[in-house]
Amino acid sequence: MGEMEQLRKEADALKDQITAARKAVQDTTLEEAAAGVAVVGRVQMKTRKTLRGHLAKIYAMHWATDSKLCVSASQDGKLIVWDSITTNKVNAIPLKSSWVMTCAYAPSGNLVACGGLDNMCSIYNLKGKDGNVKVMRELAAHTGYLSCCRFISDTEIITSSGDCTCILWDIETGTQKTSFAGHQGDCMSLAVSPDFSYFISGACDFTAKLWDIRDGNCRQTFAGHESDINAIGFFPNGQAVITGSDDATCKLYDLRADQELITYQDSSIMCGVTSLAPSLSGRLILAGYDDFNVNIWDSLKAERVGALAGHDNRVSCIGVSADGMACCTGSWDSFLKIWN
Amino acid sequence: MSDYPVLAGATATRKEQSRASAQLGRVRSTRSQRQAAVMAEAQRRREGEEWEEQGGAEETEAPKEEAPKEAPKEAPKEAPKEELKEAQKEAQKEAQKEAPKEEAQKEAPKEELKEAPKEELKEAPKEEAQKEAQKEAQKEAPKEELKEELKEAPKEELKEAPKEELKEAQTEAPQTPTRPLLATRSTSSADPDDDSPNMIVYRKIEDIVTRIQDETEGVPIRTVKSFMTKIPSVVTGEECEGTDIVQWLMKNLSMDDPAEAMHIGSLIAAQGYFFPISDHVLCLKDDGTFYRFQAPYFWPSNCWEPENTDYAIYLCKRTMQNKTRLELADYEAENLARLQRAFARKWEFIYMQAEAQVKIDRKKDKTERKILDSQERAFWDVHRPVPGCVNTTEMDIRKCRRMKNPHRVKKSVYGLAEEGTQSHSPVHTPSHHSRKGTREDVEKEILFLNTQLDRHCMKMSKVAESLISYTEQYMEYDPFMTSPEPSNPWTSDDPTFWDLEASKEPSQQRVKKWAFSLEEALKDPAGHELFLKFLESEFSSENLRFWLAVQDLKRVPQQEVAQRAQDIWAEFLAEGAPSSINLDSHSYERASHNLKDPGRYCYEDAQDHIYKLMKSDSYTRFLRSNVYQDLLMARKKPETEQGRRTSLEKFTRSVGKSLTGKRLTGLMQSS
């Protein structure tokens, strides 16, 4: 027992040292540094399109890299690929398990993936020979629900799960390449860095972790939230991480300063954050909440500069297209809306 | 099978309702007869499993009929059975709550069937004879329980003053028998450690709601003739106007915009913390509509998950009382009809419970009854919302499974005996979360912490500066910040912008972006094409070509990987290779080692090294090159003007440029 005590003491001492090191570089705050930056002014966006067709709660959506197509997953057991401009359904893929929680579009546009309570990540080939969309692979190894998945390429995909781990898969062989363990709570969400060498995961242990994709190690851990982290994303420059939590706040952490830079919160916001996405320049952060709204934050000044109200139930997912032109929100009211 | 008249058709008129209830009443004339019938049924049930299942099917089919999009279409085979069982239970519950919109789902997975009859089993055997006695006993018990609960749960939620008031209320109104406010509650109160997402919000709301009702700093209330002086507004049913609530919220939560106050107010109303007196739809209106506050007993934070039996009792009770204000709304009548079909077997029991409740109600003071009725109705509006309204008690299924107290027994609103172990989630897996750190864990942690400590933390000022400059640099490319030219295709329906982006003739703005970073230049196909062209003119394109080839290698089909890797080696790395690149010894060794078992990422190190080289060397030269500068500047001038320049001008200019170019390259090469 004494040894454990000693080890724990050692760990605590190191933690204190790290906290001190972080404090030592706090020569200013982001807010102070951004004081001279021009204000953004009120951002008003309108719904340009409404994508109708799902029959139940929408849990996830993801844009394709062409900024026109997107995929959404709903608990009616369907994965729908939409042409967001015409609002037509390009594909309506029936799923084996209707308890789907996540979906992803491959950067190439050839594949989509989804998963949920079935603990598996199913990969579908959209460009099959005979035009039919079929399951290409079923990646099974997780012992908990699949909360999020993101493609690195047509051959690799990363998944996060309620079993507290993330896995990098080789799609062709259908096997695990690397397992990323370390979180103490369900992993709820993940995001890949713009250069595809790192990814970040947010979990129900209130922390976010940065992982090196190639060697499987956790490089950094960010704490500070008081409740589950539901959403996570990279700042467009790949050097900072944005998280959204049930404690109704979003936080910005910087990788090089190894700490939190700023918190986005307001006393009038009581409901948890379900999803978030930065605008192309990173100046705006759009976050979806349980109170049916999306709030738009000025990332440098931590001020709310706008809101998107139009859904009749929780906003469960949000995404900004690659060209930054439009933002898509999905909700429990079964609709997707395109805004800008 | 059923002895009781079941209402045919979806909409039961009020006449039919009263006829039905009258008939129900007449069927059983004596108590002993009732007892006998129920006992016989219970006996029958105990006898046959299959018979039960069938009975269960009847029971569950009706609610399944309502099952809208929520219910799974068929028993998924892959998924772990237990997970599904629970998920399906959730879905079933949700299905029962919502009004029918779609066609019925006839297929009910077997697991659900087994669960439903178990419910019936547990309730039926509790005989009526026992019931009266039970109720009496329960009447005494809950007061104590409630006092206990009041001590624990509201510690965080309520401030001191209201707590005192509530306690007093308990002591002052002891004679009022079992009824919602003071009625039986089977077990535990809100778990103060429960931090599920809904609970977090409930606590925040309760804080606000308590403040609103505060005597001195709360909303001005319109006092209804109150017969007890020190009882809080929840009991006396003091009402306040919608506008007052909005004003209060704006002032006390520092909001400038009334729309925001409305939004929060509606959120609070939707959760059932206050409600319009004469409307089922729970939202806040900024007008003279009167609102009443909900009794803490009914607060959602008490984790009510009322069963359909409770709902059935409630609706049944309403039909027994001949008051216009208690008439069922259409959707309620439909629900009642459905429940009667579903609970056909135990309608007897439900009916009696309802009768008992009505008896209790009659003993109360008229005003108090009116108030409690409205609060009870608001409670049901939250848990069985009007069709079209959102059920705010819904939880994300990912969070449901982690509920801290899976053993929490479901309470019945009307004091029905415990549902016992049903609410015990069969699939709750507390395993990972309660895992205590082993020695290995701590050692790993220490290792990790040491690496963290070694990392150099960059100064906040530097980091902030880089973030700010990034946003400023990209501001003009961010369509949410700067209107794109010629126009945003989403607003103008004109796709010109996208056509231009896709074209091989990049706009000046796009060309400018290539100078932001090597990533940007390489990301844009036109960008890396120009870069390649430039390097070829200098006979130094091998680096970029290597980089592009390795990118490609990552994407080819598995069977081609080995061959491609070899080709790359032959072209760029082997001795005497035609496009020999300059690698450091470490990367070279790694690459040759990896080539023994070639995979997609065998050239990762080499690629990184080359990338850095390009960034510091060729990329910077590229940005200063003629080809790039021309493109950057030339776009400003229209075609015709260029054509007009004299050849001499052109000549001098080009000579000047190439001279400078050569000088620079000369410098670079020497360094």
Side-chain angles (χ1 to χ4, degrees), chain A residues 13 23 46 61 64 71 87 159 176 188 198 275 279 302 326 336 340:
Chain A
K23 263 207 115 127
K46 294 206 189 105
M61 70 79 52
V71 64
T87 75
T159 56
Q176 297 190 46
M188 294 293 284
Y198 293 103
S275 49
S279 71
L336 291 146
N340 64 15

Side-chain angles (χ1 to χ4, degrees), chain B residues 103-119:
Chain B
E103 284 304 292
Q105 286 290 358
K106 300 296 177 185
E107 282 182 87
K110 269 257 168 86
E111 290 101 299
E112 287 173 272
L113 292 180
K114 288 209 184 106
E115 287 186 358
K118 253 188 256 160
E119 268 182 51

Side-chain angles (χ1 to χ4, degrees), chain A residues 3-4 7-8 10-11 14-15 17-18 22 25-28 30 33-34 37 40 45 48-49 55-57 59 68 75-76 84-85 96 98-99 101 117-119 145 155-156 162 164 172 177 184 186 188 204 214 218-221 227-228 230 235-237 246-248 252 254 256-261 267-268 270-271 279-284 286 291-293 300 304 312-314 320 323-327 332 338 340, chain B residues 69-74 76 78-80 83-84 87-88 91 94 102 195 197-198 200-201 204-205 208 253-255 260 263-264 267-268 390 392 394-399 401-402 432-433 435 437-439 442-443 445-446 448-450 452-453 455-464 466-468 470-472 474-475 477-481 484 487-491 493 497-498 513 554-559 600-601 604:
Chain A
E3 212 180 348
M4 276 297 270
L7 284 176
R8 289 229 171 84
E10 194 182 336
L14 284 170
K15 282 186 195 155
Q17 279 186 289
I18 290 174
R22 285 176 178 164
V25 295
Q26 282 174 12
D27 54 348
T28 181
L30 179 57
V37 178
V40 169
M45 295 196 207
R48 303 294 170 189
K49 308 277 176 186
L55 303 173
K57 299 189 175 80
Y59 259 78
K68 298 190 187 125
Q75 305 239 309
D76 61 1
S84 54
I85 301 167
K96 283 188 194 171
S98 71
W99 300 102
M101 294 163 168
L117 275 189
D118 57 359
N119 298 4
Y145 61 84
T155 51
E156 286 186 318
C164 311
E172 279 179 321
K177 271 181 143 166
Q184 306 279 320
D186 299 11
M188 294 293 284
C204 292
R214 293 300 143 217
C218 169
R219 292 258 164 262
Q220 286 170 267
T221 303
S227 187
D228 301 350
N230 297 321
F235 196 86
N237 70 354
D246 272 336
D247 62 9
L252 181 70
D254 189 278
R256 293 163 304 179
D258 192 34
Q259 57 189 294
E260 178 188 325
L261 287 184
S267 56
S268 62
M270 294 190 295
C271 289
S279 71
L280 191 137
S281 64
R283 185 63 195 271
L284 300 176
L286 294 91
D291 64 3
F292 315 178
N293 281 352
L300 300 178
R304 253 198 312 168
D312 296 325
N313 206 328
R314 294 189 195 188
V320 170
D323 60 7
M325 283 286 174
C327 140
W332 278 11
I338 312 278
N340 64 15
Chain B
K69 326 103 192 215
E70 314 281 315
K73 291 224 161 90
E74 53 187 9
E78 280 86 4
E83 310 252 27
L84 270 176
Q88 283 165 358
E94 291 196 330
E102 313 291 317
D195 52 7
N198 282 13
I200 298 174
V201 179
K204 291 181 191 167
I205 295 180
I208 294 176
L253 299 182
S254 341
M255 288 183 231
E260 261 197 54
H263 179 73
I264 287 218
L267 175 73
I268 299 177
V390 173
T392 51
E394 278 179 331
M395 267 181 77
D396 189 327
I397 45 178
R398 297 172 288 191
K399 314 273 180 169
R401 298 183 62 253
R402 282 170 45 239
H432 343 276
H433 314 298
R435 199 189 77 205
T438 60
R439 185 216 161 97
V442 186
E443 282 177 347
E445 202 190 348
I446 291 176
F448 175 71
L449 291 169
N450 271 314
Q452 291 239 282
L453 201 55
R455 176 182 311 111
H456 167 69
C457 284
M458 201 181 273
K459 281 215 178 100
M460 290 282 259
S461 50
K462 277 203 103 179
V463 151
S466 103
L467 272 179
I468 294 170
Y470 185 92
T471 59
E472 287 182 335
Y474 281 85
M475 181 96 64
Y477 298 90
D478 187 344
F480 293 163
M481 305 287 297
S487 68
N488 187 328
W490 286 100
T491 44
D493 274 333
F497 181 88
W498 280 325
K513 212 180 190 188
K554 294 184 199 171
R555 294 188 203 114
V556 297
Q558 189 61 38
Q559 51 264 51
R600 287 180 202 287
Y601 301 95
E604 205 72 351

